[in-house]
Each structure stands twice: as C-alpha cells, then as structure tokens.
C-alpha cells in the first residue's frame, strides 16, 4: 500500500475543539490507514490539548502577522513544502482557497487534492460557478465530497462532475464507552449539543416544544442543552423560567463541556437527541456521536435528515424548523413510545457502525485516492 504525506489546511485558524471534528478527523483516519505523516497547518489561536487524542498528527504553526493572515501564510507554506505534500486536504467550498489549490496543483501535478465541501443546499445554489478563479479551484480538486445524499445528487447535476458521499461519522477509538453502552444505562433524558441560541441552531424551538410536551408526559422527562449559550438565549431562558416555574427545574443548561468523558456520559444517559437546526453544513458531527451511543434522533428537515434517520426508520423528521407545535408533538410521541426507543437503541447503533464508521470510510477514500493517482499516471 502506498503511503501519503497528508497535509491539512483549515480555512481559518484552528480552534482546539475542531481537532475532534470532521475537518481534522477525516484526514486523520486517512493518515491512520494510508498516511506516512499528517501535518495540520494553522495560525495558532489557543493551546491544542485535544491533539493528545490524535497520536502521530503534527501541527505546524504559521508565522502569521497582521499583514500575513492565515491563508496567505499557508500559501507560502505550500510553495516551500509542496514536495513534502502528497495529499492536500481542504475543508469548505471557499473562494479563499482558489489560489492555494491552483498553486499546489501547478507545483505538484501528481499530488492528490481532496475538498470536503461542508456545504448545505442553500450554499450550493449560491456558489459563483461562473467565476473563473472558482472554476479553476474546483477543477484543481481530484476528489470532492459532500455529507448528505440529496446534496450529492444536487451538486453532481449542477457541477456536472462526480461528487462523493462521505458522511460525518464516528472514529471509535475516541469513544471507549460507546460500545460498552447498554440501554439500561439510559434515562428519560432529551439531549442537544451545539451553540445554544445561535440563529442556525434555533434552540428556542426545542425549549418551548419541550414545555408543550412536558405538560402531557405520562412519565417525567428532562432536557439538557450542552454548549455555549448566547446572551439572547440566556434572556429567552430567563423569561421561560418565569413563565414555566414548574418546568424550569427539568431544563439544564450546562454551558460548554470540554471534558470528553463528561460529554460522553450525557450521550450514554440520553434516550433522545434533539436537533432544531435551520440548516447545517452537510451533516452535524454531533449526530453520529449521539446515534453511536444509541440515542434516537428527532431532527428538523436539514439536508442530511433522511440519511440520519434512514428515511425515518431510526428517528423522526419535522419539516418546518419553526413549527413548535409540530416539533412538540413529534417529541411527545417519541417520549411515550418506550418500546420503539428500546428497539431503536440497537438498530441505530448498527446503522452507524455499518455506514458511519470512519475506519470504513477511510478505506473507501484510499480507493478513491489510488484511482485518482492512476488516472494522473495515464495522462
């Protein structure tokens, strides 16, 4: 098996939390399967303790200044080190990458350039496909993937080229407690994880949908919302507690949890994972984590919703992300159906293991990489 020196250039300076998300995990599992080395190129924003979870990965800190921002410095790095980069991983369909991508392919025409789109349908329809630098950027990419099957079909038709379906998945070595989880570990807990109160996450819908459902529950359920909380949502929550003093003690805002074992303990306890997003860039990383721990998913109709629920076999989809009564009804129905939740615990974990295991995905990416290399040799 050929080994590749893999280089990862994120579109903006890397935050520690992003080390365990798709922008780093996808190239990392490629490194574990067919990499000689893996180097993450970034301006330093903070310390990177999560690097301890990724043995073998190296971080190169760019010498950024006010006049030399992250991607400009990365461009210089690629020019100086292109012969050491066999496989260049870019994240996001961003015009800012155009010069860097074309430069790399000019200097290393035999190199493999992989673009993971991290895109949604709205963004896909707004891309400047008639803008020459952007066209050159996409032409420079040997492998392009997106995170949802409906998007794969849309973009393949729109761009008239092959787009791979590579979902955001699970790297099981990061989750020693995932496969040990049993249904008896679970409680009547509804969980969400994300930027609580951001416009994208639509968190107020979950809060008030839960309140409507709580009034009808035959057995008690709690709601835990994990993540940083915007000031706007903090005010919404304050008003909510005044409106529903009997429900407020059952809603828990934890703030961000950086201790991974503490976070996984919540996944292990929860029976339902709730998403009320207006949109997502592809598929949310937290979905595969939650489903891997056996949580039944209730989601709004984001691009990856059908993939996430296997067309509602393994969860439920609410069409309108702003329809609080509809979301509440779906939540109430799931909470009341204990037999379904128990059956689904095993079914959704099997589904994740079969289709979302990053180790399986890396093997497919190796075949795609080798096919791209063979095609180059034949030209």
């Amino acid at each position: 098996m050929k080994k590749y020196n893999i280089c990862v250039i994120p579109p903006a300076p890397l935050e520690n939390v992003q080390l365990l998300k798709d922008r780093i995990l996808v190239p990392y599992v490629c490194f574990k399967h067919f990499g000689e080395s893996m180097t993450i190129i970034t301006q330093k924003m903070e310390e990177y303790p999560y690097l301890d979870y990724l043995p073998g990965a190296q971080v190169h800190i760019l010498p950024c200044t006010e006049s030399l921002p992250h991607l400009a410095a990365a461009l210089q790095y690629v020019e100086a080190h292109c012969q050491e980069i066999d496989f260049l991983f870019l994240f996001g369909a961003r015009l800012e990458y155009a010069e860097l991508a074309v430069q790399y392919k000019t200097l290393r025409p035999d190199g493999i350039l992989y673009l993971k789109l991290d895109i949604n349908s709205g963004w896909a329809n707004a891309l400047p496909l008639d803008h020459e630098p952007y066209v050159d950027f996409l032409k420079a990419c040997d492998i392009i993937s997106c995170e949802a099957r409906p998007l794969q079909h849309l973009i393949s038709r729109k761009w008239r080229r092959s787009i791979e379906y590579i979902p955001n998945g699970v790297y099981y070595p990061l989750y020693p407690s995932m496969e040990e989880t049993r249904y008896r570990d679970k409680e009547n807990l509804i969980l969400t994880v994300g930027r609580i109160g951001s416009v994208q996450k639509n968190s107020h819908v979950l809060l008030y949908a839960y309140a409507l459902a709580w009034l009808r529950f035959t057995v008690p359920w709690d709601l835990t919302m994990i993540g940083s909380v915007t000031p706007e949502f903090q005010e919404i929550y304050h008003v909510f507690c005044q409106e529903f003093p009997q429900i407020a003690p059952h809603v828990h805002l934890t703030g961000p949890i950086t201790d991974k074992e503490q976070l996984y303990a919540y996944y292990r306890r929860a029976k339902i994972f709730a998403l009320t997003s207006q949109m997502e860039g592809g598929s949310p990383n937290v979905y595969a984590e939650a489903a891997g721990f056996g949580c039944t998913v209730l989601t709004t109709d984001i691009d990856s919703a059908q993939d996430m629920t296997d067309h509602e076999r393994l969860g439920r989809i609410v069409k309108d992300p702003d329809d609080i009564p509809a979301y509440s009804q779906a939540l109430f129905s799931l909470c009341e159906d204990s037999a379904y939740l128990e059956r689904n615990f095993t079914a959704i974990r099997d589904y994740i293991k079969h289709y979302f295991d990053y180790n399986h995905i890396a093997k497919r990416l190796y075949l795609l990489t080798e096919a791209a290399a063979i095609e180059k040799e034949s030209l």
Side-chain angles (χ1 to χ4, degrees):
M1 176 183 286
K2 181 179 177 180
K3 297 285 188 177
Y4 290 80
N5 293 302
I6 297 172
C7 179
V8 182
I9 301 180
L14 193 70
E15 300 172 10
N16 178 60
V17 68
Q18 294 166 341
L19 284 168
L20 299 184
K21 295 186 176 182
D22 54 319
R23 68 181 62 196
I24 301 300
L25 283 181
V26 171
Y28 182 74
V29 293
C30 290
F31 159 64
K32 297 298 287 185
H33 281 264
F34 57 89
E36 187 69 37
S37 65
M38 175 179 167
T39 306
I40 303 165
I41 310 301
T42 184
Q43 177 183 352
K44 187 173 183 179
M45 293 294 290
E46 55 191 359
E47 296 302 318
Y48 296 113
Y50 282 0
L51 199 62
D52 292 344
Y53 290 97
L54 307 173
Q58 305 292 319
V59 174
H60 176 84
I61 302 300
L62 294 168
C64 294
T65 63
E66 189 173 331
S67 60
L68 187 68
H70 169 75
L71 280 180
L75 192 68
Q76 292 185 1
Y77 180 91
V78 169
E79 185 175 4
H81 298 273
C82 62
Q83 296 307 315
E84 304 161 23
I85 303 171
D86 306 318
F87 181 108
L88 178 60
F89 178 90
L90 305 180
F91 181 84
R94 300 169 183 270
L95 184 58
E96 303 96 296
Y97 272 141
E99 185 179 357
L100 187 151
V102 171
Q103 180 201 57
Y104 173 68
K105 293 313 292 283
T106 300
L107 297 172
R108 278 295 304 271
D110 62 324
I112 303 296
L113 200 163
Y114 172 28
L115 173 64
K116 187 177 189 294
L117 288 174
D118 185 47
I119 201 171
N120 57 53
S121 53
W123 189 3
N125 284 320
L127 292 174
L129 298 179
D130 56 350
H131 184 50
E132 189 171 343
Y134 199 81
V135 172
D136 292 341
F137 166 39
L138 296 180
K139 284 183 178 177
C141 299
D142 299 292
I143 303 168
I144 300 179
S145 74
C146 68
E147 298 79 13
R149 288 199 183 278
L151 279 173
Q152 180 191 27
H153 302 320
L154 168 68
I155 299 169
S156 295
R157 292 195 305 270
K158 196 174 183 71
W159 295 2
R160 297 182 180 181
R161 65 167 294 169
S162 175
I163 304 295
E164 304 297 331
Y165 167 60
I166 303 293
N168 293 337
V170 171
Y171 183 51
Y172 281 92
L174 293 177
Y175 306 94
S177 60
M178 183 176 281
E179 296 192 86
E180 299 168 1
T181 300
R182 299 293 178 264
Y183 190 73
R184 62 175 177 267
D185 300 327
K186 294 198 169 285
E187 304 167 11
N188 288 348
L189 175 63
I190 302 156
L191 180 67
T192 194
V193 179
R195 298 179 303 280
I196 308 301
S198 66
V199 173
Q200 175 186 337
K201 296 299 182 183
N202 221 22
S203 308
H204 70 283
V205 170
L206 176 57
L207 183 63
Y208 280 93
Y210 167 76
L212 288 177
W214 189 91
L215 297 171
R216 301 167 59 199
F217 286 150
T218 57
V219 293
W221 282 76
D222 281 6
L223 169 65
T224 296
M225 309 177 83
I226 297 176
S228 57
V229 180
T230 65
E232 294 79 8
F233 189 81
Q234 195 66 57
E235 179 59 28
I236 290 171
Y237 177 67
H238 176 70
V239 172
F240 175 88
C241 292
Q242 293 178 323
E243 289 179 321
F244 301 101
Q246 76 278 32
I247 300 177
H250 299 275
V251 179
H252 311 282
L253 304 184
T254 69
I257 295 178
T258 57
D259 183 319
K260 287 297 180 182
E261 292 308 313
Q262 184 183 354
L263 175 62
Y264 301 157
Y266 277 102
Y267 282 127
R268 193 168 183 169
R269 290 167 50 207
K271 289 182 180 177
I272 294 173
F273 189 81
L275 283 169
T276 49
S277 300
Q278 294 274 3
M279 65 184 70
E280 291 282 349
S283 62
N285 288 279
V286 290
Y287 155 69
E289 286 186 335
F293 278 97
C295 301
T296 292
V297 176
L298 173 61
T299 181
T300 44
D301 197 15
I302 57 176
D303 291 309
S304 57
Q306 298 293 337
D307 301 331
M308 290 161 57
T309 63
D310 195 24
H311 303 276
E312 296 198 89
R313 179 176 70 91
L314 303 173
R316 299 292 181 264
I317 301 170
V318 177
K319 294 296 182 183
D320 183 349
D322 296 315
D323 191 338
I324 293 174
Y327 199 94
S328 179
Q329 178 58 43
L331 183 62
F332 172 76
S333 296
L334 279 180
C335 291
E336 293 294 300
D337 196 345
S338 58
Y340 171 76
L341 294 176
E342 185 166 4
R343 288 196 309 273
N344 204 45
F345 169 78
T346 299
I348 198 167
R349 294 174 82 214
D350 289 345
Y351 180 67
I352 290 294
K353 189 71 175 176
H354 193 79
Y355 293 105
F356 292 81
D357 184 341
Y358 270 143
N359 282 315
H360 298 162
I361 289 169
K363 292 173 185 176
R364 181 158 168 263
L365 280 169
Y366 174 71
L367 295 177
L368 292 170
T369 300
E370 286 292 275
I374 291 170
E375 184 176 348
K376 290 173 183 294
E377 293 171 1
S378 66
L379 296 178

